[in-house]
Amino acid sequence: MSSNPIDPPTIPNAQLDAMRAERREEAASAGGGGSGGRTLLLLGLLLVVLGLGWWFWSALFAPESKPAQLAQTPAEPPKAAAPAPPAEPVILHPIDEAPVAGAPPLPKLAESDKDAGEGLAALLGKDAYARYFVSQDLVRRIVATVDNLPRKTYAQRLSPVKPVAGAFLVSGKDPERTIDAKNAARYTPYVRVLDAVDARKLVALYVRLYPLFQEAYQELGYPKAYFNDRLVQALDVMIATPSMPGQLRVTQPKVFYQYADENLEALPSGQKILLRMGPENAARVRAKLVEIRKLVAKDGAAAKEAAKEAAK
């Protein structure tokens, strides 16, 4: 009997099928683990790409965000500059108001009639002063009249000089009515008094009383003005009165007479008064006014000298 090699043991089919199934499960298990790892890796790469894309987009294309600003209180509008104070008026013809040594103190304006009247009476004579001048409110009347002379109208009720006696004399009838030559005689006594007064002593009295004149001028409505400047203006107007020889024609449209020549009627009131006096009287008055102006005008030096002269 021949001997045969020993055959390997036969594995039953059921066992083989079980082994194959077990291998397939292991293979499936091993293959599933590799697929999960790749998935996680892909997800990570995707997140990195998305992050880089967002950064580039933000840097290059996103609108710039403005920095937050703190709320600001609206600035107050600039305040308008305060108006400059009005410039002080320039004094053209100053008067030295320093009291003269040994001179008595000045009274108050309301009580100045005695001092002013006595001073003027000493220059003009007591009789002439009493006859031709109004003694009440003398300083105020002088100031008001000086202020009126360069103006169109003149208030006789405020004059320091009493009205000229007698009626205004005329000759003829319209349109040839003229001022009568005899009319000048009504003014002659006044002109003589003025002509005889010493201009230096008159100005010396004026300088001594000047604070009262200045106060009265301010009281009249000129708080910043200087009375002596106004006096010089009035003197200039009177001195510039035109010389009109002969008898001037007049008309009487209502109560008062007027100059028939419109140019004469338009003159300042002071000039019309001089023309009414007649040529000779007007010339004498102008000559005296020129003397007075030299003493009160310019820098007041002449007025100072006049005050010193009067104090001797």
Side-chain angles (χ1 to χ4, degrees):
M1 181 173 142
S2 59
S3 60
N4 294 328
I6 299 175
D7 293 330
T10 302
I11 302 174
N13 291 335
Q15 187 176 357
L16 289 174
D17 291 337
M19 292 175 63
R20 292 190 184 101
E22 185 178 348
R23 291 289 179 90
R24 285 196 296 268
E25 289 178 2
E26 291 177 357
S29 175
S35 175
R38 286 193 298 270
T39 301
L40 290 177
L41 179 61
L42 291 175
L43 287 176
L45 290 174
L46 181 61
L47 289 175
V48 171
V49 170
L50 289 176
L52 291 174
W54 178 86
W55 182 84
F56 278 110
W57 182 87
S58 299
L60 299 178
F61 302 105
E64 295 182 0
S65 59
K66 296 183 179 179
Q69 295 182 353
L70 297 176
Q72 296 182 355
T73 304
E76 294 184 3
K79 296 182 179 179
E88 290 294 325
V90 177
I91 297 176
L92 301 177
H93 306 284
I95 290 291
D96 184 8
E97 299 181 42
V100 178
L106 291 179
K108 295 181 180 179
L109 177 60
E111 302 170 355
S112 63
D113 287 343
K114 182 176 182 295
D115 282 43
E118 289 179 353
L120 199 54
L123 295 175
L124 307 178
K126 291 182 179 180
D127 291 342
Y129 174 72
R131 184 180 304 159
Y132 300 122
F133 284 84
V134 179
S135 60
Q136 185 178 6
D137 290 329
L138 183 59
V139 171
R140 288 190 176 105
R141 288 175 178 273
I142 293 173
V143 167
T145 299
V146 167
D147 186 55
N148 279 338
L149 290 175
R151 302 185 187 279
K152 177 72 175 178
T153 58
Y154 163 83
Q156 175 61 50
R157 63 184 178 81
L158 299 177
S159 175
V161 180
K162 294 179 180 179
V164 177
F168 183 70
L169 303 177
V170 297
S171 299
K173 296 181 179 180
D174 286 336
E176 301 299 327
R177 181 176 293 174
T178 63
I179 299 176
D180 195 298
K182 297 178 182 178
N183 191 69
R186 299 170 55 232
Y187 297 91
T188 300
Y190 294 82
V191 175
R192 286 176 179 166
V193 170
L194 177 63
D195 197 26
V197 73
D198 186 321
R200 286 189 173 273
K201 291 182 179 181
L202 180 63
V203 171
L205 176 64
Y206 168 67
V207 171
R208 183 173 72 83
L209 300 178
Y210 185 77
L212 300 177
F213 287 102
Q214 181 63 31
E215 181 181 349
Y217 192 47
Q218 293 174 340
E219 181 183 88
L220 195 61
Y222 306 99
K224 299 294 184 180
Y226 196 67
F227 176 68
N228 196 56
D229 286 350
R230 186 59 171 171
L231 173 62
V232 173
Q233 289 177 352
L235 291 171
D236 288 341
V237 167
M238 300 288 283
I239 293 168
T241 303
S243 298
M244 303 294 294
Q247 305 308 308
L248 303 177
R249 289 195 305 115
V250 293
T251 62
Q252 190 178 21
K254 295 181 180 179
V255 178
F256 300 104
Y257 286 99
Q258 296 181 356
Y259 291 104
D261 186 333
E262 293 181 356
N263 292 327
L264 295 182
E265 184 59 32
L267 292 175
S269 60
Q271 293 187 353
K272 290 192 286 186
I273 292 172
L274 279 185
L275 292 177
R276 196 180 305 160
M277 294 180 180
E280 183 179 346
N281 285 335
R284 294 169 67 182
V285 171
R286 283 200 302 268
K288 181 60 68 172
L289 296 181
V290 168
E291 288 184 47
I292 295 173
R293 189 191 187 284
K294 289 179 180 178
L295 296 171
V296 298
K298 296 182 180 179
D299 62 355
K304 296 177 185 178
E305 292 300 322
K308 293 178 182 179
E309 183 69 22
K312 292 180 180 180

